[in-house]
Amino acid sequence: MSITLYRTLLWLLALGFAAAFCIIALPAALQETNPLRFVTDAYVNPYAAGYATDTLTCWAVLAVWVCYEAKTTNIRHGWVALLLGVVPGVATGFAAYLLIRSKQQVAS
């Protein structure tokens, strides 16, 4: 796979998930007056709880990776991916980190 195709696919996946989040979850989140409820509603049943726990754990794994590579390989601006991992979600944050990382690795 070429680097161009790789980056294009990452952009499409990141933006695709962000768009899906904005269409599916954002309207409900904006109507909610209690921000904690937006989080707790993810645990309404065992299936949702499993996916929510997986998502939170994936964000934690991404955070460990970003912090590790910031120290060992000097990948900068990983914090942007961690913010995107919170909103709109880990899929966008992870794709963003891979794009940040690939750009810096090619440049060095």
Side-chain angles (χ1 to χ4, degrees):
M1 176 182 303
S2 71
I3 190 74
T4 303
L5 179 59
Y6 172 71
R7 289 182 181 161
T8 300
L9 290 172
L10 286 174
W11 273 110
L12 289 173
L13 289 167
L15 294 174
F17 177 79
F21 178 85
C22 289
I23 293 166
I24 297 167
L26 195 57
L30 293 175
Q31 291 178 352
E32 185 57 58
T33 57
N34 179 1
L36 184 58
R37 182 154 182 204
F38 184 71
V39 175
T40 60
D41 279 356
Y43 289 88
V44 295
N45 63 54
Y47 304 111
Y51 282 109
T53 302
D54 177 62
T55 301
L56 293 172
T57 304
C58 286
W59 185 90
V61 170
L62 178 62
V64 168
W65 186 21
V66 166
C67 292
Y68 174 77
E69 286 202 336
K71 297 294 182 187
T72 60
T73 59
N74 292 325
I75 301 295
R76 299 174 318 280
H77 310 299
W79 60 270
V80 172
L82 295 180
L83 286 178
L84 290 171
V86 174
V87 175
V90 179
T92 300
F94 181 45
Y97 184 69
L98 291 175
L99 288 164
I100 291 167
R101 184 178 188 269
S102 73
K103 186 175 181 180
Q104 291 180 32
Q105 286 180 331
V106 169
S108 53

